[in-house]
Amino acid sequence: MKILVCAKQVPEVTNVQVDPETGTLNRDGVASILNPFCEYAMDLALELKEAEPDGEVEIVVLSMGPPQARAALLRCLEMGGDSAILVTDRKFAGADTWATALTICKIIEKLDGVDLILVGKHAIDGDTAQTGPMLAELLNIPQITYGVGLELDERKKRVRVRRENEGGFERVQMRMPGLVSVSKGAASRRVCSFESILDARAKDISVMTADDLGLDEAELGLQGSLTQVVKVFPPISKEAGRIVNGTDAIAAAHEVVGILKEKHFV
Amino acid sequence: MLLIDTNTCSGCRLCEKNCPFAAMLIVDEIAVVQDNCTLCGACANVCGEHSITIERAAATPEELAKFKGIFIWAECGESADGESLVPKKVTLELLAEARRLAEKTGEEIRVLVLSDERPVNTDDLFAHGADGVIRFVNKLLWPYSTDAYTTVISAMVAAKKPSIFLLGATPDGRDLGPRVAARLKLGLTADCTQLEINDEGQLIQTRPAFGGNIMASIVTPFSRPQMATVRPNVFAVSENPEIDRKGDIEDFDVALQRGVVRTKILEVEKVGETGGGIENAEVIVAGGQGLNSPDDLDMLRELADELGGTLAGSRPLVEAGWIPHTLQVGQSGITVSPKLYIAVGISGAVQHVVGMNGSGSIIAINNDPEAPIFKVADVGIVGDAAEVIPALIKEIREAKKAA
């Protein structure tokens, strides 16, 4: 059985800010990490691999991004992925979710017999949660989004997924091949042993570029995108409110409940 | 343009059976497309031989101008007794916003209602601004499935050609939107929090990105409809619905085969402290990592009970396993807009703030006077939650007694 995990390298978003003068993103000194939800997807892939006899499950990791995205792939190989594909080309720059899904679709069509595709529910930089479902549609395979746990059926033809939904969970079954987008479940971040880190160095990371796709250049990157960003700006902050000193808790509570009464909350 | 590879077509009739519009016929064991084809993609989706491809060239401005009207998907939930289906609140929020956009474009608003045979309350949709409802009833449409909904919604959009199509950015809305967009090759913007029409009549879709640190405005220049999922609890529902307002209900009856649905819900498990979930709560008391132990949640729950509210929390509490993910407020959790939001021991990282700054009144309690939460709070108490919360509970009880 072959599992493909799509992984994205993202900036540590807590530190990204917009320059209020120029309106551009200031990424100086911001570290790049493996998107946490892609890491959870890796976790679930590894759980399946560990549940099966040795050699039954193969995990291939794919990342589309700049050459530096190799670091995210290496992290996945350290966790226990078997091999990796880096999809990189300057022609891919500026791709929106449609152009990204189309590019990754063309790569996957060239791989033999992928049974299950796991993706993070969203990347913490773009936050769109769109590329996974678009990819599934272009590959014409079913999907289950917001999965937090998965298991194979006895015949390994179907996957059963615990899915987060509003106000609860669902258990959903899907025929394979299919795609599951992964939210944060019980899976914990793996600590990689020194040995697995060394092992990862020997694993194969192949590189694929625009020439490998068989797509017209007009379908790639910014040119091939159906949406365009016209403006980027910092969120508007609101006026400061009233500050109550809480050193005397009873007096502070009295003051605040007075406000609550005025507004009819009490 | 729809192309059929006559070398690989096996004449299996799957496309014929699954075409919503009966626009595909098998002639001499080969599929042949008819003039009433809408390019909705249902045939390509079911073709086992991948013999059908649809080439979608970029449209000219003249072609784009032919798309008219605003469509909204009405995601439905079951009524309390399970006898009928009710459009979710986000549908009414979208209607209020669409009404505002329609003022500018002069277009009509149609709501897409997919359901099984149970009745759906459409009166509310008209009262809140819908000009029409397009309804499709089929037992395969409950519960929601990605495949059946993608097929039907794509068929509706391909046949009716609206200029704007909005969906709620709920789990199912974000599951469905990208499938429809990819099937029809449409641009899609995720989780929008502001919508505007610019002077050229384009929809400007604004959304937070990078964990809420920036806002991005996005347009869809080359494809119609302009598709967006819209974050729930950001736009207000109209306070003055016109209860006598009526509109037309069009029955949209197309072929839908059981075979398109490739997933099956085996089990549904409800969690959450209130039946409605935090997204619909009017009062929320939320805890953060400033709390000392899970026991502190008891006093927060008590305060919430006194105010008729519900408990929620920020991401660190979910990560620590103190509260379930369904109670998480913030960018990676749920966006809420209660009338009153009380943040206790929450520092106010931007990822949390984007999930609650639409609240009516915000009260923050934190012992760090520099905590960013105070920048969004209407009232901030600098103090120790362990002292302030019990004092608040006591004071509220006394106020109630006095009343």
Side-chain angles (χ1 to χ4, degrees), chain B residues 118-323:
Chain B
R118 284 176 289 179
V120 179
N121 177 358
T122 49
D123 292 350
D124 272 358
L125 301 176
F126 295 127
H128 285 264
D131 295 301
V133 162
I134 304 177
R135 178 111 207 254
F136 183 38
V137 176
N138 187 299
K139 61 179 183 300
L140 291 174
L141 295 174
W142 192 268
Y144 168 84
S145 73
T146 311
D147 289 324
Y149 276 65
T150 302
T151 296
V152 173
I153 299 271
S154 299
M156 284 177 168
V157 169
K160 304 286 180 185
K161 302 192 184 329
S163 72
I164 292 173
F165 179 29
L166 306 176
L167 304 90
T170 58
D172 286 347
R174 295 180 83 169
D175 182 89
L176 173 64
R179 292 290 303 214
V180 173
R183 185 166 299 185
L184 299 175
K185 196 177 177 182
L186 302 173
L188 171 64
T189 306
D191 210 18
C192 299
T193 56
Q194 289 170 39
L195 298 172
E196 289 300 334
I197 303 286
N198 71 5
D199 294 340
E200 287 94 65
Q202 288 176 316
L203 182 67
I204 308 287
Q205 306 145 59
T206 300
R207 63 183 302 269
F210 289 90
N213 286 292
I214 65 162
M215 302 295 291
S217 295
I218 291 163
V219 292
T220 317
F222 314 114
S223 60
R224 291 290 179 277
Q226 304 159 87
M227 272 185 80
T229 60
V230 177
R231 185 176 287 196
N233 282 321
V234 169
F235 297 115
V237 172
S238 164
E239 283 173 9
N240 307 305
E242 301 168 54
I243 42 175
D244 297 327
R245 205 167 167 278
K246 292 277 170 269
D248 58 283
I249 301 182
E250 178 188 348
D251 281 312
F252 187 83
D253 194 7
V254 294
L256 176 66
Q257 302 288 324
R258 182 168 292 279
V260 301
V261 183
R262 294 168 289 189
T263 54
K264 187 178 170 191
I265 297 178
L266 303 173
E267 211 180 320
V268 177
E269 179 192 332
K270 297 251 181 251
V271 282
E273 305 229 336
T274 58
I278 59 170
E279 47 277 74
N280 297 321
E282 296 212 333
V283 175
I284 289 176
V285 179
Q289 60 186 340
L291 298 179
N292 295 317
S293 78
D295 294 341
D296 285 352
L297 292 176
D298 291 340
M299 65 180 180
L300 266 59
R301 214 175 266 124
E302 208 177 324
L303 176 60
D305 285 345
E306 286 302 327
L307 294 166
T310 186
L311 179 75
S314 62
R315 197 175 71 173
L317 296 201
V318 178
E319 307 225 309
W322 294 9
I323 59 166

Side-chain angles (χ1 to χ4, degrees), chain A residues 18 127 140 145 166 171 244 254, chain B residues 45 175 214 266 331 380 395:
Chain A
V18 175
D127 260 337
N140 196 2
T145 46
E166 280 177 318
R171 225 159 63 87
V244 177
H254 187 76
Chain B
N45 183 58
D175 182 89
I214 65 162
L266 303 173
Q331 180 79 0
E395 194 70 30

